[in-house]
Amino acid sequence: LDYQHVQVPFEITLWIMLASLAKIGFHLYNKLPSVVPESCLLIFVGLIMGGIIYGLNDKSPPVMDSDIFFLYLLPPIVLDAGYFMPSRPFFENIGTILLYAVVGTIWNVFGIGFSLYGICQVKAFHLQDVSLLHNLLFGSLIAAVDPVAVLAVFEEIHVNEKLHILVFGESLLNDAVTVVLYKLFRSFCEMPAIKSMDVFAGVGKFFVVGLGGVLVGLTFGMTAAFTTRFTKDIRVIEPLFVFLYSYLSYLTAEMFHLSGIVAIIVCAMGMKRYVEANISLKSHTTVKYFMKMWSSVSDTLIFIFLGVSTIGENHEWNWPYICFTVIFCLIWRALGVLVLTFFVNRFHVNTITSKDQFIIAYGGLRGAICFSLVFLLPDFHRKKLFIAATTVVILFTVFVQGMTIRPLVDLLAVKRKRESAPTVGEQIHIRFLDHLLAGIEDISGHWGQYYWKDKLEYFNSKYLQKILLREYDQPKSSIVLLYEKLERKHAIELAEAGQLGHAPSHPSLLNNDRTVITDKKLEDALNPDVLENIQEILARNLYRIRRTGPAYNRHTLPGETEPAEHAKEILILRHKSL
Amino acid sequence: LDYQHVQVPFEITLWIMLASLAKIGFHLYNKLPSVVPESCLLIFVGLIMGGIIYGLNDKSPPVMDSDIFFLYLLPPIVLDAGYFMPSRPFFENIGTILLYAVVGTIWNVFGIGFSLYGICQVKAFHLQDVSLLHNLLFGSLIAAVDPVAVLAVFEEIHVNEKLHILVFGESLLNDAVTVVLYKLFRSFCEMPAIKSMDVFAGVGKFFVVGLGGVLVGLTFGMTAAFTTRFTKDIRVIEPLFVFLYSYLSYLTAEMFHLSGIVAIIVCAMGMKRYVEANISLKSHTTVKYFMKMWSSVSDTLIFIFLGVSTIGENHEWNWPYICFTVIFCLIWRALGVLVLTFFVNRFHVNTITSKDQFIIAYGGLRGAICFSLVFLLPDFHRKKLFIAATTVVILFTVFVQGMTIRPLVDLLAVKRKRESAPTVGEQIHIRFLDHLLAGIEDISGHWGQYYWKDKLEYFNSKYLQKILLREYDQPKSSIVLLYEKLERKHAIELAEAGQLGHAPSHPSLLNNDRTVITDKKLEDALNPDVLENIQEILARNLYRIRRTGPAYNRHTLPGETEPAEHAKEILILRHKSL
């Protein structure tokens, strides 16, 4: 037996296996996951395993290594989040999200830090040796909402899209603030005296860390898109580039002390549309599938490790400090959301309701990032107290808030996510209104979001697509893509029902079948006969789907982009049908 | 800048990126890969990089770590090979393959070892200090044909299936022999005196190492198949199990000093058919894609590292030893193939032609396995000579043999692989003959391969499938599966041509289209009208494709497996058509 030789890969594989089997186990009993969030169950499994290890070895089980967490477990989750980020609601609410992420996090850090310092001044609590700087340092790590925990809980409760993106976007983008404040206070702790210069440098760092992350992400994202232009002959390594470039963007940002999370999100969001157009359908399935798989495994491992690391002897218990930490975390977050939302609502027509505000405040879960940061603290005599307080806050938010948020959402009747995809009619109207609003903003000289979006889209189609896409000359509008997708699905269903070759001889059957499929998408809004007609008209006019011209564009006249040959063919077709 | 922190993952990612970009680069110029095999180009890139590193640092570039090779780079390639192994030709030629792999490798080891020892006795060569045992140890590592190198070259030259499986199967299965002989001679080198007991124990080890690998592989393969029964609710982690269990089988075998390569191949081959039936179509695409991707990257990295490791100062040059090593490798392999094939041909009707024998002998490429083993040798004063000789043999076989084998195959007009898939008619006949031969063997009392295959198939459908498959009650015969696949492809093509909804109104178009698709498969063997009819008959009788009964089975009467309800529906349908 030669265990030493294979130890490292063997143990990693076993841990992943354990995590996957735990996931299967939960889903075997269908009722369990609907009551208790998976994250709680996983922490519970971790606690049991930690207990077993502790009982057998009589020493603390190994804690989650911060390096492993930040270098290997976190990136897949953030990459998945960035790649599948619904970009429309994200950019529509980017202002609010940034306000929550930047101002809200700073508010929380200082609120929690100063009020805990106040608690430390009470002589009865025996905490007078914890300095203000240490309290602020602790505040900086405990204040940040955790994307992994938020994702795990909010994926299951299906609140409306805006609410979801507000909480989730905040949890992702506050990384830049957390990194800066945490490192700032940590270096202050080690400095003999703090000059006012250092504080100003700290403020400047916000922009460097955040914008630097954006820049790194954009660079790698565009390079990735450019690389996939040349993979036509070796389809099999296409998915690799998506993962490699994203990971490199994260590592590069971390290397320069920039925000790795921001970098990888920007990279994923930036590359997505170009990569999707360049790589094959199967490669894309693999990319999507593997991303989901990887993030799901990382997520599972993180929660199990959280549980395992909780057991052990590295805690110092102090009732008042720990209880007040939990209370202050709740209070300052609630206050912050109230105040910030008050200002947000003054400038927006589409306001955030008080119910939504409650869920935003209540959904501020803490997770593995705090946990890893607290272990990275430099050694000082109260570190174990901080570890204990962090653990309690995480367990409290994940268990108590995580388990009660679903009943609360039900009780308050918070607006849910709509189950169905938008209908074709809605899509057309949304696009039409976008163009209309961009035009209005242009005429009125107001540089609003529609104006910028339109400009960006113009820049994209004029320059970026030409450089980054392999087959630039065939742009497809999203409606044509949707139609193609529906047709393909329809065809497969027909084939699977064995009715493909015989459709002509059973008209009633065919009719029936098509209604079922289209109904699913259009939700009874139109009656089947009308649908039949629409599909027929679409199919006749989009005679060769690939050759359809681009959608209406404010910057070009119809004749400009449409090749003459194309117009001619349409004429011939119309002539025939007449 | 904090490079230390991210060094390990950053450098790994960069190496993989370099490998992938090199691959893209080669394929940009279409003519290059058709003349020079990719493996040569990659070694060349490695040589250049090694030269650059050597020039810049003025010290030897890092050599490929044997642990990294055996634990991380080799498993993906072997897994891919095992999972996509064409099982029919493999099992049909298993006897010949084992003969080549076991007897052939032993023949080569002792042949090369003893004749090199003879060379060492020549005083003029200054090699008298190399003992017989050291020569045999060297022979044991240089004799084995390398699966990675063989795969890289044979994938490009498209020789006939039997020839391919003979060389490739040998290169995979000789691992057990190599492991045993290498470890045996290495321990003999360290022993003061060798007893005859030790030699017998060594012979016994062959069986332990080989059969132990098979057992480990089977265990993990079946467990993997069983696990995928329960993944219905979490499709997203299905592909993971295929990778995790295969890797665990490899690591476990290595841990017990069994043959990891044999274990992972058996695991992959064993799990394949059950896993494929259990997991979703998308999961399966992901598994296939990722396996190909991973093995392709590993393969690229191995050849680049081979090049990089060649540069440096760890070589001791001795013209006679190195030249004679190359010559003996060629001679003994050629002799071995001739002698073994002579015996094989006496017992088979379907003989191996002399052209095929030449290609088998010539295709005995050496690669990274030898290279890693030579670095694992215990330190002794002539280790550098062995390293130099191994490097030369590898470079000689990969460059000279690898580049000339394609022209030789053309020149000799070796039978090529047929480009098209077997037609439906052929498939039916092959299956019919299998059953017929199994029946003949049964009656005549001869326990041949058809008898055992039939027994295994019976055991599989009677017991294994019930335990390992999620939906056992719906067995599909392969013809039905083929029909389904054709129909699905047909449907997608129709949808993409935009003719799905309108097929009824354009009968000529439809007709045309279907001919094209079916022609591709059936290769003009039948005329289009007959095909139309066949498809219609199939579609009418396989009215609900999923419910077709199992294919003819020697062990059961038709009435037994076919549920009464099923028969009734067929009757009703027939009645209607009359």
Side-chain angles (χ1 to χ4, degrees):
Chain A
L1 190 77
D2 182 11
Y3 184 59
Q4 293 293 312
H5 181 56
V6 297
Q7 189 177 10
V8 178
F10 196 73
E11 287 184 358
I12 293 173
T13 318
L14 274 188
W15 273 110
I16 299 177
M17 183 72 99
L18 172 85
S20 316
L21 290 178
K23 255 192 141 79
I24 289 191
F26 299 152
H27 283 272
L28 279 185
Y29 301 95
N30 276 328
K31 281 181 187 165
L32 204 57
S34 66
V35 180
V36 189
E38 213 179 79
S39 44
C40 298
L41 289 172
L42 290 169
I43 291 185
F44 199 69
V45 169
L47 286 173
I48 292 173
M49 288 210 44
I52 292 172
I53 298 175
Y54 189 58
L56 289 178
N57 294 351
D58 213 22
K59 60 177 184 180
S60 303
V63 295
M64 176 159 54
D65 188 318
S66 299
D67 263 3
I68 290 178
F69 174 74
F70 281 113
L71 292 182
Y72 305 106
L73 294 176
L74 189 58
I77 299 177
V78 185
L79 173 62
D80 177 64
Y83 199 81
F84 293 101
M85 176 86 81
S87 60
R88 198 185 165 87
F90 179 76
F91 283 113
E92 267 174 5
N93 297 298
I94 184 81
T96 318
I97 292 172
L98 278 176
L99 197 70
Y100 283 143
V102 179
V103 183
T105 306
I106 295 175
W107 164 286
N108 274 301
V109 170
F110 284 96
I112 295 170
F114 279 110
S115 38
L116 278 178
Y117 182 62
I119 294 299
C120 291
Q121 301 314 309
V122 180
K123 279 189 183 168
F125 295 162
H126 306 294
L127 288 162
Q128 280 136 310
D129 53 334
V130 186
S131 71
L132 175 62
L133 256 181
H134 276 124
N135 272 316
L136 283 172
L137 180 56
F138 180 63
S140 75
L141 67 88
I142 204 76
V145 174
D146 186 85
V148 184
V150 165
L151 208 61
V153 166
F154 274 71
E155 259 187 0
E156 294 180 8
I157 58 175
H158 305 294
V159 293
N160 64 74
E161 214 172 20
K162 186 178 174 187
L163 182 52
H164 183 259
I165 204 74
L166 285 180
V167 182
F168 181 51
E170 178 202 339
S171 71
L172 285 173
L173 297 189
N174 65 19
D175 178 59
V177 181
T178 310
V179 168
V180 172
L181 285 181
Y182 178 78
K183 288 194 176 147
L184 201 68
F185 289 130
R186 215 175 70 170
S187 57
F188 283 177
C189 280
E190 283 155 6
M191 274 186 213
I194 302 157
K195 293 175 198 155
S196 58
M197 254 313 284
D198 297 327
V199 178
F200 282 112
V203 175
K205 260 197 170 179
F206 276 124
F207 296 96
V208 175
V209 169
L211 294 180
V214 171
L215 208 72
V216 170
L218 266 184
T219 314
F220 279 97
M222 292 304 112
T223 319
F226 187 68
T227 309
T228 52
R229 262 188 81 158
F230 303 102
T231 54
K232 202 180 175 185
D233 296 321
I234 26 168
R235 291 284 189 200
V236 91
I237 57 169
E238 277 175 348
L240 206 61
F241 288 108
V242 176
F243 299 109
L244 286 180
Y245 278 110
S246 322
Y247 193 44
L248 274 183
S249 78
Y250 182 84
L251 292 177
T252 311
E254 287 286 307
M255 195 157 73
F256 293 105
H257 296 291
L258 307 172
S259 167
I261 293 183
V262 171
I264 200 169
I265 284 177
V266 171
C267 176
M269 289 179 81
M271 77 164 79
K272 191 185 181 192
R273 66 191 286 181
Y274 306 109
V275 167
E276 266 183 23
N278 279 336
I279 68 180
S280 76
L281 200 70
K282 278 194 182 172
S283 298
H284 194 224
T285 306
T286 307
V287 167
K288 285 195 290 186
Y289 225 88
F290 226 79
M291 233 174 235
K292 284 276 167 228
M293 193 177 97
W294 224 324
S295 73
S296 156
V297 168
S298 279
D299 180 272
T300 313
L301 282 177
I302 286 173
F303 284 114
I304 288 186
F305 278 139
L306 259 185
V308 171
S309 311
T310 304
I311 306 286
E313 280 154 4
N314 39 24
H315 298 290
E316 181 196 334
W317 203 259
N318 179 307
W319 276 106
Y321 195 82
I322 289 172
C323 291
F324 276 109
T325 306
V326 174
I327 293 167
F328 288 140
C329 279
L330 290 173
I331 291 178
W332 283 104
R333 177 152 181 93
L335 280 179
V337 170
L338 275 179
V339 173
L340 289 176
T341 316
F342 173 75
F343 288 107
V344 168
N345 279 347
R346 286 192 61 173
F347 295 102
H348 283 81
V349 182
N350 192 358
T351 56
I352 300 167
T353 65
S354 49
K355 280 178 193 170
D356 284 2
Q357 287 176 42
F358 177 76
I359 296 296
I360 293 173
Y362 202 73
L365 307 181
R366 268 62 161 193
I369 292 186
C370 314
F371 196 79
S372 300
L373 285 178
V374 80
F375 274 98
L376 280 180
L377 282 182
D379 273 325
F380 79 110
H381 65 289
R382 287 290 195 162
K383 187 176 170 182
K384 286 187 173 180
L385 174 64
F386 284 2
I387 293 177
T390 310
T391 309
V392 170
V393 170
I394 293 171
L395 292 185
F396 180 84
T397 53
V398 172
F399 274 87
V400 179
Q401 292 178 221
M403 281 168 73
T404 51
I405 199 165
R406 192 202 296 254
L408 278 173
V409 165
D410 289 341
L411 197 75
L412 293 174
V414 173
K415 205 177 146 203
R416 296 303 182 96
K417 199 170 81 180
R418 50 184 296 177
E419 291 296 317
S420 57
T423 65
V424 174
E426 276 178 335
Q427 284 194 333
I428 293 174
H429 276 93
I430 290 170
R431 180 178 295 195
F432 169 68
L433 282 174
D434 281 358
H435 280 291
L436 190 70
L437 286 168
I440 292 173
E441 282 186 354
D442 206 3
I443 291 167
S444 65
H446 172 71
W447 290 354
Q449 58 164 318
Y450 293 101
Y451 174 81
W452 284 114
K453 197 181 156 190
D454 194 77
K455 280 274 175 262
L456 201 67
E457 201 51 56
Y458 181 64
F459 176 71
N460 171 46
S461 67
K462 186 102 180 174
Y463 304 104
L464 280 182
Q465 289 195 339
K466 278 182 196 163
I467 301 167
L468 302 179
L469 292 190
R470 187 184 303 138
E471 291 165 358
Y472 171 64
D473 48 350
Q474 297 177 341
K476 289 185 191 181
S477 89
S478 60
I479 290 174
V480 177
L481 285 176
L482 178 72
Y483 171 72
E484 265 183 54
K485 202 173 152 190
L486 277 174
E487 281 286 277
R488 208 179 296 127
K489 203 177 146 195
H490 174 51
I492 289 172
E493 288 185 33
L494 271 185
E496 278 178 358
Q499 291 156 354
L500 188 66
H502 313 278
S505 53
H506 311 291
S508 66
L509 207 79
L510 176 72
N511 218 1
N512 213 357
D513 205 275
R514 293 180 80 184
T515 321
V516 173
I517 295 159
T518 44
D519 262 13
K520 251 183 257 160
K521 278 282 149 196
L522 300 180
E523 281 216 318
D524 315 301
L526 302 163
N527 83 48
D529 288 321
V530 179
L531 276 178
E532 283 274 302
N533 274 332
I534 291 176
Q535 260 198 352
E536 209 167 305
I537 291 165
L538 267 174
R540 193 170 290 155
N541 288 309
L542 306 173
Y543 55 116
R544 281 253 175 222
I545 299 172
R546 284 151 213 259
R547 292 215 206 136
T548 342
Y552 160 77
N553 191 315
R554 205 157 56 78
H555 301 280
T556 52
L557 286 169
E560 262 177 69
T561 53
E562 222 156 324
E565 172 213 3
H566 185 179
K568 207 168 125 194
E569 277 196 61
I570 289 181
L571 271 177
I572 294 170
L573 206 80
R574 290 237 174 101
H575 190 72
K576 268 188 194 165
S577 74
L578 289 171
Chain B
L1 188 76
D2 182 11
Y3 184 59
Q4 292 293 312
H5 180 56
V6 298
Q7 189 179 9
V8 178
F10 195 75
E11 288 185 357
I12 293 173
T13 318
L14 273 188
W15 272 112
I16 299 177
M17 183 72 100
L18 172 85
S20 316
L21 290 178
K23 255 190 141 75
I24 289 190
F26 299 151
H27 282 271
L28 279 185
Y29 300 96
N30 277 328
K31 281 182 188 164
L32 203 57
S34 66
V35 179
V36 189
E38 214 181 78
S39 43
C40 297
L41 290 172
L42 291 169
I43 291 185
F44 199 68
V45 169
L47 285 173
I48 293 172
M49 288 208 45
I52 293 172
I53 298 175
Y54 189 60
L56 289 179
N57 294 351
D58 212 20
K59 60 177 185 181
S60 303
V63 295
M64 176 159 55
D65 189 318
S66 299
D67 263 4
I68 291 179
F69 174 73
F70 282 113
L71 292 182
Y72 305 106
L73 294 176
L74 188 57
I77 298 177
V78 184
L79 173 63
D80 178 64
Y83 198 81
F84 293 100
M85 175 86 80
S87 60
R88 198 184 164 88
F90 179 75
F91 284 113
E92 267 174 4
N93 299 296
I94 184 84
T96 317
I97 292 172
L98 279 176
L99 197 70
Y100 283 143
V102 179
V103 183
T105 307
I106 294 175
W107 163 287
N108 274 299
V109 170
F110 285 96
I112 295 171
F114 279 110
S115 39
L116 278 178
Y117 181 63
I119 295 299
C120 291
Q121 300 316 309
V122 179
K123 281 191 181 167
F125 295 161
H126 308 294
L127 288 163
Q128 279 135 311
D129 53 335
V130 186
S131 70
L132 176 62
L133 258 181
H134 275 124
N135 271 317
L136 284 173
L137 179 56
F138 179 63
S140 76
L141 67 87
I142 204 76
V145 174
D146 187 84
V148 183
V150 165
L151 207 61
V153 166
F154 273 71
E155 259 186 358
E156 294 180 9
I157 59 175
H158 305 295
V159 292
N160 65 73
E161 215 173 21
K162 186 176 174 187
L163 182 51
H164 183 260
I165 203 75
L166 284 181
V167 183
F168 182 50
E170 178 202 338
S171 72
L172 285 172
L173 297 189
N174 65 19
D175 177 60
V177 180
T178 310
V179 168
V180 172
L181 284 180
Y182 179 77
K183 287 192 178 151
L184 201 69
F185 289 130
R186 215 173 70 172
S187 57
F188 282 177
C189 281
E190 282 155 6
M191 274 186 215
I194 301 157
K195 292 173 200 157
S196 58
M197 255 313 284
D198 296 327
V199 177
F200 281 113
V203 175
K205 259 195 169 178
F206 275 124
F207 295 96
V208 175
V209 168
L211 295 179
V214 171
L215 208 72
V216 169
L218 266 185
T219 314
F220 278 97
M222 293 302 113
T223 320
F226 187 68
T227 310
T228 52
R229 263 189 80 158
F230 303 102
T231 52
K232 202 179 175 185
D233 296 320
I234 27 169
R235 292 285 189 199
V236 92
I237 56 169
E238 277 175 348
L240 206 61
F241 288 108
V242 175
F243 299 110
L244 286 180
Y245 278 109
S246 323
Y247 193 43
L248 275 184
S249 77
Y250 181 83
L251 293 177
T252 311
E254 288 285 307
M255 196 158 71
F256 292 106
H257 295 291
L258 307 173
S259 165
I261 292 184
V262 171
I264 200 169
I265 284 177
V266 171
C267 177
M269 289 179 80
M271 76 164 81
K272 192 187 181 192
R273 66 191 285 180
Y274 306 108
V275 166
E276 267 184 21
N278 280 336
I279 68 179
S280 77
L281 201 70
K282 277 193 181 172
S283 298
H284 193 223
T285 306
T286 308
V287 167
K288 285 194 291 186
Y289 226 89
F290 226 78
M291 231 173 237
K292 285 273 167 230
M293 192 176 97
W294 223 323
S295 73
S296 157
V297 169
S298 278
D299 180 271
T300 313
L301 282 177
I302 287 173
F303 284 115
I304 289 186
F305 278 139
L306 258 185
V308 172
S309 310
T310 304
I311 307 285
E313 280 154 4
N314 40 23
H315 298 290
E316 181 197 334
W317 201 260
N318 179 309
W319 274 105
Y321 196 83
I322 290 172
C323 290
F324 276 108
T325 307
V326 174
I327 293 167
F328 287 141
C329 279
L330 290 173
I331 291 178
W332 284 104
R333 177 155 179 92
L335 280 178
V337 170
L338 275 179
V339 173
L340 290 176
T341 317
F342 174 74
F343 288 108
V344 168
N345 278 348
R346 287 192 60 172
F347 295 102
H348 283 81
V349 183
N350 194 358
T351 56
I352 301 167
T353 64
S354 49
K355 280 177 192 171
D356 284 3
Q357 288 175 43
F358 177 77
I359 296 296
I360 293 174
Y362 202 74
L365 307 180
R366 268 65 161 188
I369 292 186
C370 314
F371 196 79
S372 301
L373 286 178
V374 80
F375 274 98
L376 280 180
L377 282 180
D379 273 327
F380 79 111
H381 66 287
R382 288 290 194 159
K383 189 175 169 183
K384 286 189 174 180
L385 174 63
F386 285 0
I387 293 177
T390 311
T391 310
V392 170
V393 171
I394 294 172
L395 293 185
F396 180 84
T397 54
V398 172
F399 274 88
V400 179
Q401 293 178 220
M403 281 169 72
T404 51
I405 198 164
R406 191 201 296 254
L408 278 174
V409 166
D410 289 340
L411 198 74
L412 293 173
V414 173
K415 207 178 143 203
R416 295 303 182 95
K417 200 170 80 181
R418 50 184 295 178
E419 290 297 316
S420 58
T423 65
V424 174
E426 275 177 336
Q427 283 193 334
I428 293 175
H429 277 92
I430 289 170
R431 180 180 293 195
F432 169 68
L433 281 175
D434 281 358
H435 281 290
L436 191 71
L437 286 168
I440 291 172
E441 283 185 355
D442 207 2
I443 291 167
S444 65
H446 172 71
W447 291 354
Q449 59 163 319
Y450 293 100
Y451 175 82
W452 285 114
K453 197 181 159 191
D454 193 76
K455 280 274 174 262
L456 200 70
E457 201 50 57
Y458 181 63
F459 176 73
N460 171 46
S461 68
K462 185 104 180 172
Y463 304 103
L464 281 182
Q465 288 196 340
K466 278 182 196 163
I467 302 169
L468 301 178
L469 292 190
R470 188 185 301 136
E471 292 165 357
Y472 171 63
D473 48 350
Q474 296 175 343
K476 290 184 190 181
S477 89
S478 61
I479 290 173
V480 177
L481 286 175
L482 178 70
Y483 172 72
E484 268 183 52
K485 201 174 153 191
L486 278 174
E487 282 287 275
R488 206 179 297 125
K489 203 176 147 197
H490 175 52
I492 290 173
E493 286 184 34
L494 272 185
E496 279 179 356
Q499 291 156 354
L500 189 65
H502 314 278
S505 53
H506 309 294
S508 66
L509 207 79
L510 176 71
N511 217 2
N512 215 355
D513 206 273
R514 293 179 80 184
T515 320
V516 172
I517 295 159
T518 44
D519 262 13
K520 249 183 259 157
K521 280 282 149 192
L522 299 181
E523 281 215 319
D524 315 302
L526 302 164
N527 84 48
D529 288 320
V530 179
L531 275 179
E532 282 275 302
N533 274 332
I534 289 176
Q535 260 198 352
E536 209 167 305
I537 290 166
L538 266 175
R540 193 171 290 154
N541 289 310
L542 307 175
Y543 56 117
R544 281 253 174 223
I545 298 170
R546 283 152 215 256
R547 292 215 206 136
T548 341
Y552 160 75
N553 191 316
R554 206 156 55 78
H555 302 281
T556 52
L557 286 171
E560 262 179 68
T561 51
E562 223 155 321
E565 172 211 3
H566 186 179
K568 208 168 124 194
E569 278 198 61
I570 289 181
L571 271 177
I572 294 169
L573 205 83
R574 290 237 174 101
H575 191 72
K576 270 187 194 165
S577 75
L578 289 172

